[in-house]
Amino acid sequence: MQFDYENAVAVVTGGSSGIGLATVKTLLGAGARVALCARNEGRLEQVADVLRRDFGEERLLAQVVDVLDEDAVKGFAGAVEARWGRCDLLVNNAGAGRQSTFATTEDDEWRAEYELKLFSQIYPIRAFLPLLREAKGAIVAVNSLLAYQPEEHMVCTSSARAGVQNLLKSLSIEFAPDVRVNSVLMGLIESGQWTRRFEARDDKSVSRAQWYGALASRKGIPLGRLGDPEEAANAIAFLGSRAASYITGAQLDVSGGLARHI
Ligand code: NDP
């Protein structure tokens, strides 16, 4: 898939694994300079070393940042400005889902989930907005199909994600015409979260292919499989690119047909 990001600067939160890492690679492959962040320094540096080798030192900035630490996020924006003086695309991807029902979600967990989902958008957007406005750039938020199609075993994360969609819609209006704001609604993408669940499976004799196949069939995914992180990255790169210049306030579902709403 080819996108034109020549001369552009992109920022990807949670860029050291899964969908975020695939997005970093796609954007680098399309010519962008990319800044990525994550919390775990060892994994971030390991990934960054490979990316520097493959795409060149001068096109990469990797920084340890927890997106829930506003000062750290501001520092990250400052580092991007100092290094490249611009930001054309912010991909808010950092995060994880929480599996719990209403009965099993404690108050602290509700608060933590709402904090993660909302402030992982709010802090990076606030920090990068001046640069994005200057560049007439774009924000792409990685969200979940659960925002529209809640599941009872993910009640807390589903409702927080619905709030995020509402917030993004408001921002798409407030930031227009300078900055476009769109989101990608992920179904089941074969990345870090699912790898961890696979590794924690009860029956270790079940192979990876069998486990994922059974999951796709249990969930009733029309395309019959989970998505690859690269397929998610393509949707993100499209919405962030000049090819999507008349799209704002929109959401694109990447779920293999799992979305049931019209
Ligand atoms: P991964 O676990 O593979 O990657 C998550 C990335 O985010 C890692 O780089 C992680 O690094 C980073 N991260 C997590 N929390 C923070 C934080 N507070 N600050 C900075 N970085 C952070 O997950 P996925 O690729 O599967 O998920 C990416 C996004 O997509 C998440 O927001 C997830 O909720 C969403 N999503 C994924 C779906 C799927 O099926 N995979 C479905 C629906 C939504 P580190 O731990 O070092 O910080």
Side-chain angles (χ1 to χ4, degrees):
M1 195 74 54
Q2 267 310 312
F3 299 99
D4 179 13
Y5 276 93
E6 219 55 55
N7 301 319
V9 170
V11 171
V12 181
T13 69
S16 65
S17 167
I19 297 166
L21 177 55
T23 303
V24 169
K25 288 181 183 164
T26 299
L27 295 171
L28 284 166
R33 289 163 284 173
V34 179
L36 66 150
C37 75
R39 294 164 302 176
N40 182 313
E41 185 171 12
R43 182 165 65 168
L44 181 67
E45 273 315 309
Q46 210 176 353
V47 160
D49 279 347
V50 176
L51 295 171
R52 285 190 195 102
R53 190 198 63 209
D54 292 350
F55 296 98
E57 169 102 43
E58 66 291 349
R59 291 178 57 206
L60 200 82
L61 192 163
Q63 192 158 315
V64 175
V65 175
D66 180 340
V67 289
L68 298 185
D69 176 346
E70 187 169 21
D71 287 340
V73 176
K74 280 184 190 159
F76 186 38
V80 171
E81 185 171 16
R83 177 85 177 270
W84 292 316
R86 64 183 295 138
C87 177
D88 300 270
L89 171 63
L90 169 65
V91 180
N92 276 333
N93 162 77
R98 177 185 293 273
Q99 291 194 330
S100 63
T101 63
F102 184 73
T104 63
T105 313
E106 302 291 341
D107 287 357
D108 286 352
E109 294 169 326
W110 278 101
R111 291 194 184 93
E113 188 62 8
Y114 269 73
E115 187 185 359
L116 175 62
K117 293 297 177 290
L118 287 167
F119 284 94
S120 63
Q121 301 294 330
I122 292 169
Y123 289 153
I125 289 173
R126 195 181 276 154
F128 284 95
L129 189 59
L131 289 175
L132 288 166
R133 278 198 196 280
E134 218 173 293
K136 300 262 184 249
I139 296 165
V140 179
V142 174
N143 205 3
S144 167
L145 185 56
L146 293 170
Y148 290 87
Q149 203 163 287
E151 292 199 23
E152 62 276 19
H153 71 290
M154 297 190 89
V155 67
C156 175
T157 209
S158 298
S159 70
R161 287 183 185 288
V164 168
Q165 280 308 107
N166 191 291
L167 167 69
L168 296 169
K169 191 62 160 180
S170 296
L171 297 185
S172 72
I173 296 162
E174 186 173 329
F175 298 168
D178 294 342
V179 179
R180 296 183 301 107
V181 183
N182 292 294
S183 62
V184 181
L185 303 177
M186 301 297 170
L188 279 70
I189 307 296
E190 205 174 320
S191 56
Q193 302 192 56
W194 287 107
T195 301
R196 287 190 291 278
R197 288 171 198 160
F198 163 69
E199 280 162 0
R201 69 199 182 286
D202 292 332
D203 181 358
K204 300 288 189 241
S205 70
V206 175
S207 72
R208 195 180 176 92
Q210 285 170 326
W211 193 84
Y212 278 111
L215 177 62
S217 130
R218 203 165 61 245
K219 294 282 182 183
I221 301 173
L223 292 188
R225 61 178 178 84
L226 273 68
D228 292 329
E230 294 70 28
E231 293 174 308
N234 283 336
I236 294 166
F238 165 67
L239 286 174
S241 74
R242 288 179 273 264
S245 54
Y246 200 54
I247 301 178
T248 194
Q251 58 272 340
L252 182 52
D253 100 70
V254 179
S255 70
L258 187 58
R260 294 287 186 255
H261 58 275
I262 295 171

